[in-house]
Amino acid sequence: MKYFNYKKRTLWNGSNLTGIVLLSMGLIIWVSSFFIGKETDSFKLYMIVGTILSLGFLSLSTYSGTLIDFDRSLFKEYQSILWFKLGQWQKLPKIEHAELILHSYRSTNTPNGISPTLSREVTIYKCVLLANGTKFLALDFTREKDAVAALEEIKKGLGI
């Protein structure tokens, strides 16, 4: 079987950032327990650290994506939790065309009176699959090299 797996995952946003923070907190609590002179109940310490590390690991392993099976002409939009991909397989329509589109916009954060208002120019590279003359699927990439490689793999797998 030949698959294309597109993961919508950024380590510095959303649940993945929460996972990194929780894992860091758990490790800091565990390491600091060796240096604090006060005697702590080991069972309570391990329960707290274990719970924080488990929640961090669970949060870090959560992401979404799209899986395309070229051999059986199926696709699945999924949520991955602990690397189990949850979602339903659907019939992939006849893809007529695939192209790369650049989308640039100005990103700004909301001024709140505390943090500085930052703005920057952002470019997203989109692999767009067209079926029946309309957009069927758009896959976003932050790097052009990744988008071009994905587009070539999709075109090769679909035979277009």
Side-chain angles (χ1 to χ4, degrees):
M1 288 186 202
K2 187 172 181 190
Y3 291 105
F4 175 77
N5 187 8
Y6 168 72
K7 298 176 185 178
K8 297 178 199 170
R9 183 177 199 175
T10 56
L11 286 178
W12 305 113
N13 288 328
S15 67
N16 291 315
L17 179 60
T18 303
I20 291 171
V21 169
L22 288 171
L23 287 172
S24 300
M25 283 176 38
L27 291 174
I28 289 169
I29 292 170
W30 181 63
V31 169
S32 66
S33 69
F34 293 115
F35 298 109
I36 296 176
K38 186 176 180 184
E39 186 63 33
T40 306
D41 182 22
S42 296
F43 179 74
K44 285 183 185 178
L45 176 68
Y46 292 136
M47 286 298 292
I48 291 171
V49 170
T51 301
I52 291 173
L53 290 176
S54 297
L55 289 173
F57 187 67
L58 178 68
S59 183
L60 190 61
S61 73
T62 302
Y63 62 93
S64 62
T66 303
L67 193 60
I68 300 173
D69 183 347
F70 297 122
D71 293 338
R72 297 186 304 165
S73 190
L74 298 172
F75 79 100
K76 171 168 66 170
E77 291 183 344
Y78 65 85
Q79 286 287 8
S80 178
I81 301 172
L82 292 174
W83 298 279
F84 291 102
K85 294 174 179 60
L86 308 172
Q88 297 294 321
W89 285 103
Q90 300 175 27
K91 180 77 175 136
L92 185 67
K94 174 73 174 141
I95 304 297
E96 301 158 351
H97 183 67
E99 61 185 18
L100 184 64
I101 297 174
L102 275 68
H103 176 69
S104 295
Y105 63 94
R106 184 163 265 326
S107 171
T108 60
N109 67 330
T110 306
N112 58 10
I114 299 171
S115 61
T117 303
L118 303 173
S119 66
R120 62 186 175 107
E121 191 71 25
V122 178
T123 301
I124 301 293
Y125 303 92
K126 293 180 174 276
C127 289
V128 179
L129 306 181
L130 302 171
N132 300 324
T134 61
K135 179 187 85 164
F136 166 67
L137 189 62
L139 309 174
D140 296 345
F141 295 89
T142 54
R143 296 188 330 195
E144 183 179 14
K145 181 175 82 170
D146 296 338
V148 169
L151 185 64
E152 288 175 4
E153 186 177 346
I154 290 170
K155 282 184 172 183
K156 183 180 175 186
L158 294 173
I160 54 175

